[in-house]
Amino acid sequence: MEEPQAPPPAPPAAAQSQGLTPNSAAAIAYLTVIPAILFLLIDPYRKMPLVRFHAFQCIGIAVGWFALWIVVAVASMMLALIPGVRMLLLFIPFLYVGLGIAVFILWLMAIIRASKGEWFKIPFLGDFAMKMAQSSN
């Protein structure tokens, strides 16, 4: 009869995790505005300049996209009231799609750059986000 063999040794205990890396948190901040807001409120992320910058920039993208959507919607309603210009309403869906693709590409570039730890400044938003990230630590 063979003697039973001892079980293999247990793997060493994993080191206690300290949460997300700054690069990961910065990239996750772009998923929606919810993680961006949470990262601005929760320690230790609210003290990380890279995470703060990308969180503010994500919020800026969301606010900018909403404002742009409102402007296009109001403009299309105004065009609908002008009899000779109603043909332009046929192009509004193409405008929405074009703007959506542009914002999606910008958003994707921001996620990729944030995951690499880069300070990717989006035009018109980057300087504001940088100022906000450095001001209220």
Side-chain angles (χ1 to χ4, degrees):
M1 236 177 154
E2 291 182 33
E3 279 196 35
Q5 292 186 357
Q16 186 74 349
S17 174
Q18 297 297 322
L20 298 170
T21 65
N23 294 0
S24 299
I28 290 171
Y30 284 104
L31 294 181
T32 64
V33 293
I34 295 169
I37 292 169
L38 289 176
F39 286 146
L40 291 174
L41 298 174
I42 298 173
D43 281 333
Y45 306 108
R46 70 181 184 152
K47 295 178 182 173
M48 297 177 182
L50 181 73
V51 176
R52 290 177 54 77
F53 168 74
H54 287 290
F56 277 118
Q57 195 159 255
C58 170
I59 293 169
I61 290 172
V63 169
W65 173 247
F66 183 73
L68 197 58
W69 179 77
I70 294 289
V71 166
V72 171
V74 169
S76 64
M77 284 188 271
M78 291 172 66
L79 284 175
L81 297 175
I82 303 172
V85 188
R86 287 186 182 164
M87 288 298 290
L88 291 176
L89 290 176
L90 297 173
F91 298 104
I92 297 296
F94 296 109
L95 181 63
Y96 275 120
V97 170
L99 288 173
I101 290 171
V103 171
F104 176 75
I105 290 170
L106 192 66
W107 173 76
L108 198 57
M109 286 174 48
I111 289 174
I112 292 168
R113 293 276 189 77
S115 69
K116 294 178 181 177
E118 297 177 16
W119 295 74
F120 176 64
K121 286 185 179 182
I122 293 173
F124 306 109
L125 295 174
D127 292 331
F128 175 75
M130 183 68 75
K131 185 175 143 185
M132 292 300 294
Q134 293 173 346
S135 69
S136 54
N137 275 333

